Amino acid sequence: MGKSSISGIVYIVGAGPGDPDLITLRGARILESAEVVLYDRLVDPALLERTPPFALRIFVGKRCGRASVTQEEINATMIAHARGGRRVVRLKGGDPFVFGRGAEECLALSGAGIPFEVVPGVSSALAAPAYAGIPLTHRNLAGSFTVISGHLHGGSDPHDWTALASAPTLVVLMGLGSLATISARLTAAGRSPETPAAVVHSGATALQETVLANLATIPRAALGIEPPAVVVIGEVAALASRLNWFEPANVAGDPAGALR
């Protein structure tokens, strides 16, 4: 935590993936004493009920892919309230440091001399597969996993697809809109088109739905699925057909290789 004579402080808190019960005890306790809360679209409203009645709640999420508030405005709002001596909570879906711009916000706070604390959260990269019965590692199938962003900004491509094609388990966040491109590039880089694949929509919520296919067919199988969604590619994805404990009635498809 940075040092400052300012009495206010900002807590960058991970809200978890969907189910409000998955927030950490530390995160829940901080919410209970918050004076200002800046929260994202995917934060369950039940978490806001943990804040005191007098707390100022400010929505700073995205609607239909468009930011209602810019990142610069979010940073300025946190800094202004902290300089006013308030306990500020920046409540972010998942984990703040996993594709959550948490580091950018901490750098802005550090540069302004604002004390801050980061409270980790359960990332959707871990929780959504777990709720769908997909273990990211398995002694006989996958000794490691890789998490990437599916955003291909402005047509640019930051990924080494040859390296990613060899990852035992590949988890893609924010990749639903680029799924056909991701499938094609992994296949071109040498990944078998028969590799099991899964898309988990709204993981760890009552809306969760899992679609199973293989790398070649998952873009077509997932047509109609809306964000948020987590994509899992690898042999472990096939296990969802047997291990999905949360919403077995919603699982569609049955990729080959489910350890049958």
Side-chain angles (χ1 to χ4, degrees), residues 41-97:
R41 181 177 67 87
L42 295 180
V43 169
D44 192 294
L47 289 177
L48 298 178
E49 296 175 4
R50 289 184 174 270
T51 61
F54 58 79
L56 176 62
R57 302 171 180 177
I58 305 172
F59 176 76
V60 293
K62 293 181 179 180
R63 292 188 175 95
C64 299
R66 295 185 178 182
S68 59
V69 183
T70 67
Q71 188 61 57
E72 291 72 20
E73 290 171 330
I74 293 172
N75 295 345
T77 300
M78 291 190 298
I79 291 168
H81 282 291
R83 282 181 172 160
R86 300 179 182 89
R87 290 171 60 88
V88 180
V89 174
R90 176 68 176 100
L91 191 59
K92 306 173 73 67
D95 180 90
F97 279 6

Side-chain angles (χ1 to χ4, degrees), residues 98-99 123-126 136 145-150 159 164 167 169-173 230-231:
V98 180
F99 301 121
S123 172
S124 62
L126 306 178
L136 299 185
F145 64 91
T146 301
V147 182
I148 67 169
S149 167
H159 301 308
L164 293 177
T169 303
L170 183 61
V171 182
V172 186
L173 303 184
V230 173
V231 179

